[in-house]
Amino acid sequence: MTSELLQKARDFEAQYGPHIPGSERPAFHATPTIGWMNDPNGFSFYRGECHLFYQYHPYSVEWGPMHWGHLKTRDFIRWERLPIALAPDKDYDAAGCFSGGAVELPDGRQLLLYTGVRRGHNAEGLLQDVQTQCAAIGDGVNYEKIPENPILDGKDLPEGGSTVDFRDPKVWQDPDGTFYTVIGNRTADGSGAILLYQSRDGLRWEFIGTLDRSRNQYGRMWECPDFFPLDGRQVLIASPQEMNPVGLEFHAGNGTVCLTGDYAPGGAGFTRRSVQAVDYGLDFYAPQTLLTPDGRRIMIAWMQNWGTVGAKPYHCRWFGQMTLPRELSVKDGRLYQNPVRELEHYRSCPVTHHSIPVCGEVNLPGVQGRVLDMTIRVRPTGGALYRWFRVRVAKDGEHETIIRYRPSDGTLKIDRTRSGLPHDIVHTRSFLVRPQNGEIKLRVILDRFSVEVFVNDGEQAASTVIYTRQEAQAITFEAGGSVLLDVEKYSLAFDN
Ligand code: FRU
C-alpha cells in the first residue's frame, strides 16, 4: 500500500518535475526529477532493464529526509523517470531511507535493501542516528517494506561496531544462488570497516566477517562499499569520510578508494594488494557497480563533492547528477575506467585533425561545443620538450575550464575557477599521470554541466561539475613550447 508520505512525494514530483525543461539539464547524465540527488542506489538489472535509484529529497535542492528516486535505462545514456520508490514513512526509517542496493529474487520480484535511519538517545541523553538494514520488495515500480524490518541491527554487528554508522548495503547474488551484502560500519577505533553478510533468501542474513578496515589510514568511516571480482582480482571500493591528503593520490575530505586483492569466494578473508583513488577530479563519490548480461562491470557515481554542495547556481530546480557510467577493468593491478561503449551510438559530425603543430594558442575548425566526445593526443615534436599543454573548454570571453598537462612533473590539472561557480570553494585538482613515450592521450566528455576526462585509455579518470553558461562553446589548445596534436571530436546528439 502506498503511504501518505510516499503519495505526497510522488504527487509533488509529478506536478513540478515536468516544469524543468530538458535544456536546463545535462543532455545524457542522470539528474533528479526535481530537487536534491545524492548517491546512486540499487544500480542493477531487473527483468532485463537497468534500474538506478538515488538518494532523493524532492522538496528542495538541499539534502533532507531521504527518499529513493527511481530511473531506468536501456543503454546507460537515456534515462526514463519512474515514480519515487521509497519514502521515510516507518518508525525505523523516519529519519531517512539511506543508500542501499537491489537484486532480483528467485520468484521474479525485486528486493531493495537499504539503511533505515531513526533518531534515538544515546547514553549521554543526546540525539543520534540509529542505523539498521531494511528490505522492501516490489515489481520494478511499487515496493512494500516487509513486516520483519529491520532485518539487520546492532545485534548483528561484530564487537565494537557502531549502530550510529552502519549503512549502505550493496547486495548481489552469486551464481550458486547465495546472496551477499557488504555494509559500511564504524569500528571501535573510530575508523571504518566493511562487513560481509550472507543469506539464502535475501531476507535472513548472517554475519560472515570483516573484509577490510581503514585503521584510520584511509579516512575514517567508510561509506557505500562495493565488492566484486574483475579480471582475476577482487575489487573492494569504499567512500571514506575525513581523509587526510596523501601526495596527489588522495585529497582531504570525502574520497573514494579502490582496493584490489585476493579473495576466496564465500569466505571473509580479503587480502589487500593495492590501493588507489578511483577518480582524480573534483566531483565524484559513492560509486556503485553492476554486471551487465554481456559480462561488463559498469560503475556509476554521484558527480558531486560533499564539501562543495553549498555552491549551486542561483534558482536551480535540481541539484546533483550522476557520472557517465564507466566500464571497468583491472590491468597490472590498476583499476581502468572508460566511458560506457553505448555512448558511441550517439556520436555524430566527426571532426579530425592529425599532427597539428601547436605553439601558442589555437582553435581548430569544427572543434567547439558543450555536448561532445573528444579524444586528443599530445606528443613532443622531437625538438625541446614542451613545458606545458592546455586544453580550454566551455570558453568565452569570461569563462573557461582548463585541463593542463605538465611533462616536467607528470601532473595533469583540472581548473574550474572560471566555470560559473562564483563561490569560494576548491576549484582545482592536480594528479600524477603516466605519459607513454612522452605522449598523453585524453578523452574529454562534455555535457552541459560537467567535464569528465579519461587519461591514457582509462588509466585514470577525473570528473568535474561546471555551471558555465551554455553559450560558452569555444575550445582552444595551447602549448608552452611546441607539440604535435591529434584531435578526434564528435558531437553527441539527443532529442532533448
Ligand atoms: C554517502 C551517504 C551515505 C548515506 C547517504 C545519505 O554520500 O552519506 O553513507 O547512506 O549518503 O543520503
Side-chain angles (χ1 to χ4, degrees):
M1 229 201 33
T2 308
S3 69
E4 216 175 291
L5 211 62
L6 179 59
Q7 194 56 52
K8 179 174 155 238
R10 285 181 165 190
D11 291 347
F12 180 83
E13 63 166 13
Q15 182 177 358
Y16 295 106
H19 294 183
I20 307 176
S23 59
E24 279 184 26
R25 296 179 183 274
F28 58 98
H29 286 77
T31 51
T33 304
I34 181 169
W36 164 280
M37 161 194 270
N38 59 289
D39 314 353
N41 294 157
F43 186 46
S44 59
F45 271 83
Y46 176 61
R47 294 189 183 155
E49 288 180 312
C50 170
H51 286 250
L52 174 68
F53 304 84
Y54 55 91
Q55 288 287 279
Y56 189 26
H57 185 241
Y59 302 112
S60 77
V61 289
E62 313 295 331
W63 189 88
M66 282 290 111
H67 297 59
W68 274 36
H70 194 181
L71 296 160
K72 66 180 182 179
T73 181
R74 287 176 188 281
D75 65 0
F76 303 107
I77 304 295
R78 312 212 43 152
W79 300 93
E80 184 188 327
R81 295 191 181 282
L82 293 172
I84 300 186
L86 300 177
D89 50 14
K90 298 282 184 194
D91 290 345
Y92 53 76
D93 63 18
C97 300
F98 277 20
S99 287
V103 71
E104 185 164 335
L105 291 171
D107 65 7
R109 295 179 301 163
Q110 189 179 29
L111 168 71
L112 309 184
L113 202 60
Y114 70 98
T115 300
V117 184
R118 66 180 170 84
R119 302 287 282 166
H121 292 276
N122 68 10
E124 287 86 47
L126 296 173
L127 269 179
Q128 61 182 19
D129 279 3
V130 179
Q131 303 193 337
T132 60
Q133 315 317 318
C134 306
I137 297 179
D139 61 2
V141 179
N142 295 302
Y143 301 86
E144 289 290 337
K145 294 175 184 172
I146 65 169
E148 295 80 5
N149 280 337
I151 54 175
L152 280 172
D153 61 18
K155 66 181 172 340
D156 303 295
L157 285 169
E159 202 179 328
S162 157
T163 53
V164 179
D165 293 293
F166 175 38
R167 60 181 174 272
D168 310 333
K170 169 76 200 292
V171 59
W172 72 94
Q173 189 179 25
D174 265 6
D176 72 359
T178 313
F179 292 94
Y180 291 94
T181 183
V182 279
I183 308 178
N185 188 216
R186 194 185 292 272
T187 48
D189 68 2
S191 70
I194 303 304
L195 311 180
L196 179 71
Y197 295 79
Q198 79 175 22
S199 167
R200 292 309 308 170
D201 60 5
L203 303 175
R204 282 162 298 176
W205 293 89
E206 147 196 23
F207 176 64
I208 309 184
T210 299
L211 287 172
D212 205 344
R213 44 199 292 188
S214 150
R215 297 192 170 81
N216 281 307
Q217 191 187 7
Y218 295 103
R220 292 184 46 101
M221 172 61 189
W222 280 5
E223 305 187 304
C224 301
D226 202 345
F227 191 58
F228 50 89
L230 186 62
D231 300 329
R233 281 277 179 104
Q234 187 71 21
V235 178
L236 176 59
I237 288 179
S239 296
Q241 298 178 313
E242 299 177 74
M243 285 199 94
N244 285 314
V246 181
L248 294 179
E249 188 66 19
F250 295 108
H251 57 82
N254 288 65
T256 313
V257 293
C258 170
L259 314 172
T260 74
D262 302 317
Y263 173 69
F270 168 75
T271 315
R272 195 196 284 184
R273 283 169 61 183
S274 72
V275 181
Q276 66 169 96
V278 180
D279 188 280
Y280 294 83
L282 288 152
D283 295 297
F284 186 93
Y285 199 62
Q288 268 199 357
T289 71
L290 59 66
L291 192 61
T292 60
D294 63 5
R296 289 175 291 158
R297 180 62 62 173
I298 309 279
M299 177 175 73
I300 193 167
W302 184 39
M303 191 156 48
Q304 258 302 330
N305 171 339
W306 276 114
T308 63
V309 291
K312 33 178 97 78
Y314 188 58
H315 269 153
C316 63
R317 294 188 263 185
W318 61 269
F319 183 77
Q321 54 179 313
M322 298 299 172
T323 61
L324 176 63
R326 302 173 180 178
E327 294 187 15
L328 303 185
S329 53
V330 174
K331 275 185 228 162
D332 303 327
R334 258 202 89 77
L335 183 73
Y336 276 64
Q337 306 165 56
N338 279 295
V340 75
R341 66 191 63 167
E342 283 83 349
L343 185 68
E344 291 159 33
H345 300 154
Y346 295 91
R347 284 172 165 179
S348 66
C349 310
V351 174
T352 55
H353 295 278
H354 189 62
S355 283
I356 306 293
V358 178
C359 147
E361 189 169 2
V362 298
N363 40 29
L364 296 173
V367 180
Q368 76 278 313
R370 284 290 286 276
V371 182
L372 56 84
D373 180 352
M374 173 174 77
T375 300
I376 65 173
R377 273 201 184 78
V378 180
R379 40 179 197 281
T381 52
L385 187 62
Y386 59 101
R387 298 187 304 285
W388 43 260
F389 178 81
R390 290 189 188 127
V391 195
R392 293 183 158 85
V393 299
K395 178 174 158 70
D396 62 13
E398 281 170 58
H399 304 98
E400 59 187 11
T401 306
I402 307 171
I403 305 157
R404 189 276 280 136
Y405 173 57
R406 191 162 61 196
S408 60
D409 62 3
T411 56
L412 194 78
K413 178 171 161 190
I414 313 280
D415 182 347
R416 60 138 181 237
T417 308
R418 276 179 275 278
S419 307
L421 279 168
H423 298 79
D424 184 14
I425 59 169
V426 56
H427 286 299
T428 66
R429 191 85 82 209
S430 294
F431 56 99
L432 286 173
V433 296
R434 294 190 282 183
Q436 286 146 4
N437 307 321
E439 174 174 327
I440 182 148
K441 184 173 173 189
L442 304 176
R443 183 162 170 201
V444 180
I445 310 289
L446 296 188
D447 197 348
R448 296 181 182 122
F449 303 101
S450 61
V451 179
E452 287 163 286
V453 182
F454 297 85
V455 185
N456 293 336
D457 296 309
E459 203 171 49
Q460 279 154 315
S463 355
T464 293
V465 163
I466 61 170
Y467 292 108
T468 317
R469 59 198 193 98
Q470 299 305 313
E471 292 75 17
Q473 300 257 332
I475 296 178
T476 66
F477 305 95
E478 184 188 17
S482 22
V483 300
L484 290 176
L485 171 69
D486 299 338
V487 179
E488 182 182 332
K489 179 243 155 187
Y490 300 89
S491 304
L492 295 169
F494 308 89
D495 335 307
N496 56 355

